[in-house]
Structure formats: structure tokens, C-alpha cells
Amino acid sequence: MEKELRVIISGGGTGGHIFPAVSIANAVKAMRPDAKILFIGALGRMEMQRVPAAGYEIKGLPIRGFFRPLWKPANIGVAIDYLRSKWQAKKILRQFRPQVAVGVGGYASSAALGAANSLGIPTLLQEQNSYAGLANKTLAKKASKICVAYEGMERFFPAEKLMLTGNPVRQALLETTITREDAVRSLGFDPARKTILLVGGSLGARTINESVLQHLDLIRQSEVQFFWQTGKYYYESVCEQLKDQALPNLKVTDFITDMGAAYKAADLVISRAGAGSISEFCLLGKPVILVPSPNVAEDHQTKNALALANKDAALYVKDAEAPATLLPLAVATVQDAQRLQSLSENVLRLALPDSASIIAREVLALAHPTPQTH
């Protein structure tokens, strides 16, 4: 009889960390339905809602990010919360008794996996970006295995621990059975026309939104259809600015629940360059224009975008240049069938399928056969 399997998964803060974490948990469960999986997140962050919605238990730590510059007095409280979080994480681990801990990046993982290391529990890190995050860089020295989505990551991590697995993505995207025609019709659009999907993540992207608002005349005059996700934060102000405009080829929404159908409808996507989104474009073979957010740690989205653009697998527009150039480029590109075809073929070549299952097998290998005593 197989020894009981107990797994800790920690990290979050953004969908880019949470989707892979849940995908790994689902893959572990598919291989070992008896597995007990407990998540550790940061109180007040997105994972505290998203993980229970996916059917898993989560414990929250009071951990949060440091203020810049680091000498700010408010960081004394942040440091105290970090120490409290590490103490609480140790207590959770002692009670739960996992054989392995998985970290996907984000505040909580630094405390939870740091505690796992101090208790002698094997750890696996999953790094989504082409530029490693601080939490994972700090934890790498004691990690048993580091799963990455890009080549060349030995500049951040010990080469002997690295495994190129790709990023786990939302399974529903790959299982969508709707046809392009039906997906386009569901938006109230004409399947005979080209469709551009604009997404800025769940919160929206101000630059992408401004790029659209500055080119309403171009949209009005074009034969192209636009499905625009503004993000909840910007939705009301965008609707206010559009209220007197007659734009039958522009459909606006605050949030897209069925991303599988939205991707299927799109001949071209305009998006930020988060690692999770890029993995989805690769697996689906979607032609994409990437507009990296400049407001992220280490400017990692630009590095993600260039990793594709340098292989002619995506188009890249700088955030500062987007309001002037993004929409004209998108309209020209979506009407160029040959360009769309080459972008699709090149991005598909970069896909790393079955990432979640590959990582789950590594998790099981670390958990057994050496029972941990602590």
C-alpha cells in the first residue's frame, strides 16, 4: 500500500502565480486521488479567494511586500510580519506533516518554503518568468528541484537542479470544443470578419485602454471587430467615454469568464506579457502583440516579451509607444494572413505541453521513497 501523500503548495499574489499552483495541485490529484493538499497564501491577496474556489484548503499568513526604498520606517512592521509568518508557517507544517513543499513565487512562498527548508522537507520551485523572482532566487540554494519555463535560467539558479517544464496553464483553455465561427457569433460578431481580442489581465491595463480610446476613428472605419476587456477598475470610465459613439464592431466587457471561447474567436490578441498568458499563447498557437507592463519587478514582462519577439513568435510594442502605434499595427497585422500564419507557427514551436503533469511527477518523486522525520 502506498504511503499517504501530503503536499504543501505556496505562493500567489497574482493570477500568474495562482493558476500554475492550482494546475499542479490538480495534476497531483489526478495521479494520486488520495493526496492531501494544503495551500499557504498571503492574507488579503487573491489566492485567499481563488484557491478555495478551485476546491482546496488554504491557510493565510500576514506576510506582505517591503516598501521602496528599504529604509522606510514602515518596513519595520513588514519585517515583523515576515518573522510572524515564518513562525506560523512552521506551525502549519508541523501540524500538517507534508513530505514535500511546492513554491510558485510570491510573498507567501518565501516564508512557507523557508520554513520547509528549516524542517528538512524537500522543496520544489516553479518559476514562471524568464527573469527569476526574488522569492525563488532566495529559496533556490536549498531547493531540491527548480522547474522553469525558459531556457538560460542557470544564470539565476544552480544548473543541476533545473528542469525545463514550461508553465502549467488553465486546463479549460485547452479543452474548449467551441468552433471559431460559434465563438465569434457568441460575441454578436460576423465570422467572415477578422477579430482582435484586447486583454489587460483581470485588473485591466491602462495603456492598452488608452490605445483604444485614442483610435476610435480607426476602429469605426475598419472592417475589423474588437472584443475589449477593460478590467473592472476601468470599465465604468471607458463606458462613459464611449456612450455617444456608434461602434457596432467594438464590444466592451470588464471581465471575460470564458477565456477559451474568447481566444478561439480571436485572430489576433493584444495582451500584457505575463508569463502565464504567454504560455497560453504558445500552447494555443495564438498570434499576439505583447505590450509589457513597466510596473513589475525587474521589468520581467519586457524580458518575457523579447524571448518571443526575438524568435519572431510575437510582436512587441513598448508601453510608452503603444497609445500612438498599437492599434494601427494591430489592424494592419490582422489583415495580413501570411503574417498571422507565421506568428502562429513560430509561437507554437515554443509550446511546452503537459507542464502540470511533468511537475506533478517531480513532486511525487520528491515525496517518496524517502520518508522525512521531523
Side-chain angles (χ1 to χ4, degrees):
M1 188 175 146
E2 279 188 295
K3 188 177 184 298
E4 184 182 57
L5 176 64
R6 290 173 168 266
V7 181
I8 286 282
I9 301 179
S10 183
T14 66
H17 291 313
I18 298 162
F19 291 134
V22 170
S23 296
I24 294 166
N26 291 342
V28 169
K29 274 284 195 188
M31 292 174 192
R32 286 286 300 270
D34 62 315
K36 303 269 193 303
I37 299 174
L38 177 65
F39 281 74
I40 298 178
L43 290 170
R45 305 290 288 192
M46 197 188 286
E47 59 266 26
M48 301 308 294
Q49 279 77 46
R50 292 281 175 88
V51 169
Y56 295 100
E57 185 187 352
I58 186 166
K59 304 269 189 194
L61 304 176
I63 195 162
R64 53 205 169 104
F66 282 97
F67 296 98
R68 307 268 185 233
L70 288 174
W71 45 259
K72 277 193 174 180
N75 282 325
I76 295 169
V78 177
I80 290 167
D81 281 344
Y82 175 78
L83 294 172
R84 279 174 60 215
S85 295
K86 201 158 175 189
W87 179 82
Q88 284 181 26
K90 269 192 181 177
K91 194 175 165 190
I92 292 166
L93 292 175
R94 285 197 177 105
Q95 287 170 344
F96 187 70
R97 302 189 321 280
Q99 289 102 337
V100 60
V102 179
V104 296
Y107 302 140
S109 68
S110 61
L113 270 79
N117 287 333
S118 67
L119 293 171
I121 299 163
T123 59
L124 177 145
L125 303 179
Q126 198 261 327
E127 174 56 61
Q128 296 95 36
N129 291 294
S130 60
Y131 195 94
L134 184 61
N136 280 346
K137 279 195 284 193
T138 310
L139 294 163
K141 206 165 121 183
K142 294 191 173 173
S144 304
K145 182 73 71 175
I146 304 167
C147 298
V148 296
Y150 291 90
E151 290 166 354
M153 296 301 283
E154 54 278 353
R155 66 190 195 277
F156 303 110
F157 300 127
E160 69 278 5
K161 296 180 180 184
L162 287 179
M163 185 172 185
L164 185 66
T165 60
N167 283 323
V169 302
R170 294 172 278 185
Q171 205 56 35
L173 297 180
L174 306 177
E175 292 164 357
T176 300
T177 54
I178 192 170
T179 64
R180 179 194 170 271
E181 285 70 24
D182 286 343
V184 174
R185 280 198 191 96
S186 73
L187 301 176
F189 283 158
D190 178 358
R193 291 184 175 192
K194 295 292 187 187
T195 302
I196 295 175
L197 170 66
L198 302 106
V199 282
S202 53
L203 298 175
R206 188 173 64 193
T207 300
I208 292 175
N209 293 344
E210 284 174 358
S211 303
V212 178
L213 291 168
Q214 288 189 29
H215 288 92
L216 296 179
D217 283 342
L218 173 64
I219 291 170
R220 189 179 287 108
Q221 290 155 18
S222 93
E223 290 288 301
V224 179
Q225 302 164 139
F226 298 82
F227 184 35
W228 176 19
Q229 183 226 341
T230 62
K232 292 185 177 175
Y233 183 77
Y234 301 103
Y235 183 65
E236 283 183 21
S237 70
V238 165
C239 288
E240 184 64 28
Q241 291 175 76
L242 293 177
K243 71 178 182 188
D244 298 322
Q245 304 278 351
L247 291 157
N249 59 334
L250 176 66
K251 184 178 170 74
V252 183
T253 185
D254 61 341
F255 185 74
I256 299 170
T257 46
D258 189 350
M259 278 307 298
Y263 280 147
K264 187 70 84 161
D267 298 288
L268 176 69
V269 181
I270 293 172
S271 172
R272 287 302 200 192
S277 299
I278 285 179
S279 297
E280 291 169 359
F281 305 141
C282 292
L283 286 164
L284 298 170
K286 274 290 146 193
V288 62
I289 302 177
L290 297 168
V291 187
S293 169
N295 312 311
V296 293
E298 321 282 11
D299 196 26
H300 68 251
Q301 285 204 4
T302 296
K303 297 175 178 85
N304 291 349
L306 287 172
L308 268 67
N310 290 341
K311 294 178 177 169
D312 198 31
L315 300 178
Y316 158 56
V317 172
K318 286 183 183 170
D319 188 83
E321 295 169 7
T325 65
L326 178 59
L327 262 285
L329 174 66
V331 169
T333 304
V334 82
Q335 292 168 318
D336 183 342
Q338 213 171 339
R339 190 79 184 100
L340 290 181
Q341 180 73 19
S342 72
L343 284 169
S344 179
E345 287 171 2
N346 292 343
V347 81
L348 261 175
R349 281 195 198 102
L350 302 179
L352 293 164
D354 302 320
S355 301
S357 299
I358 295 164
I359 295 168
R361 280 195 284 276
E362 292 301 313
V363 172
L364 298 183
L366 285 178
H368 303 309
T370 48
Q372 298 292 317
T373 53
H374 46 266

